[in-house]
Amino acid sequence: MKTLTLLRHAKSGWDDPALSDHERPLNAKGARAATAMGAQVRHLGLKFDHLAASSARRVVETLDHFRRGYGTLPEARHDRTLYLASAGTLLDAIRALPADADRALLVGHNPGLEDLVLLLSAESNPLRGAVEEKFPTASVAVLELDGDWASACDGCGHLTTFVRPRDLDPSLGPGHD
C-alpha cells in the first residue's frame, strides 16, 4: 500500500499586478495557515520519503512555512509540469513516482488537486463530500492507494484524512483576511 498526501498551496497575494501568476507570493494568512498545517501533519504522524511540488513561488513558500510546523522534509522536486496541472497530469506524475517511495507528498494547485482526490477515492467515502464542497488553500488530503504508484487509477484510493486550516483555527478560514 502507498500513502499519498496532497497539500494545496496556501493563500497567496494579489498585491503586485506586475507579477505573473507563477510568481505570486503567499500573504500573511497563507504563511500562518501553512505553518499550522505542517504542525497538524506532524501531529498526525505522517511521514514522507518523496516530495514533488509545483514550481510556483506560492508553492515554494508554502513548503517553507509548512516545514516550520512540520520539521524536516525530503528535498522537494519542483516541477513546472505540476504548475496548475490537471488531475490527469497529476495522475501521470503519481504513476511516475519512484517505486521504492511508500509515502509521497504532492504540493500543487486547484482545481487539479480536488479533481484528483475525487478521481482516486470511491464515491462512498464519507470524507468525499467535504472535498467536493471545496478544497481550500493549505488543505491536506491523505489517500491510501491499493497497489503501487504505477497502477494508480480511478477509485483505487481510500481518502483517510481531509483537514482544512479553518478546522485548526477559525481565523484561518474564509472571511478572516
Side-chain angles (χ1 to χ4, degrees), residues 1 10 12 28 32 39 95 109 120 133 162 176:
M1 181 178 305
S12 56
R32 287 192 322 273
R95 290 176 177 153
H109 311 265
L120 292 174
E133 181 184 314
F162 181 58
H176 292 88

Side-chain angles (χ1 to χ4, degrees), residues 1-2 4 25 28 30 32 63 77-78 86 92-93 102 113-114 116-117 125 150 152 154 158 160 164 166 172:
M1 181 178 305
K2 302 290 187 178
L4 176 65
R32 287 192 322 273
L63 278 169
R77 196 183 113 255
H78 290 281
S86 68
D92 289 343
D102 291 321
L113 289 178
E114 179 178 324
L116 181 66
V117 171
N125 190 295
D154 293 13
H158 178 68
T160 62
R164 301 163 298 193
R166 69 176 176 229
L172 295 174

Side-chain angles (χ1 to χ4, degrees), residues 52-86:
S54 161
S55 59
R57 178 177 174 187
R58 60 191 178 272
V59 169
V60 172
E61 291 182 4
T62 295
L63 278 169
D64 289 344
H65 289 279
F66 186 86
R67 277 186 192 92
R68 291 179 187 169
Y70 180 84
T72 304
L73 291 168
E75 183 152 347
R77 196 183 113 255
H78 290 281
D79 186 344
R80 181 74 186 214
T81 63
L82 298 180
Y83 170 63
L84 302 180
S86 68

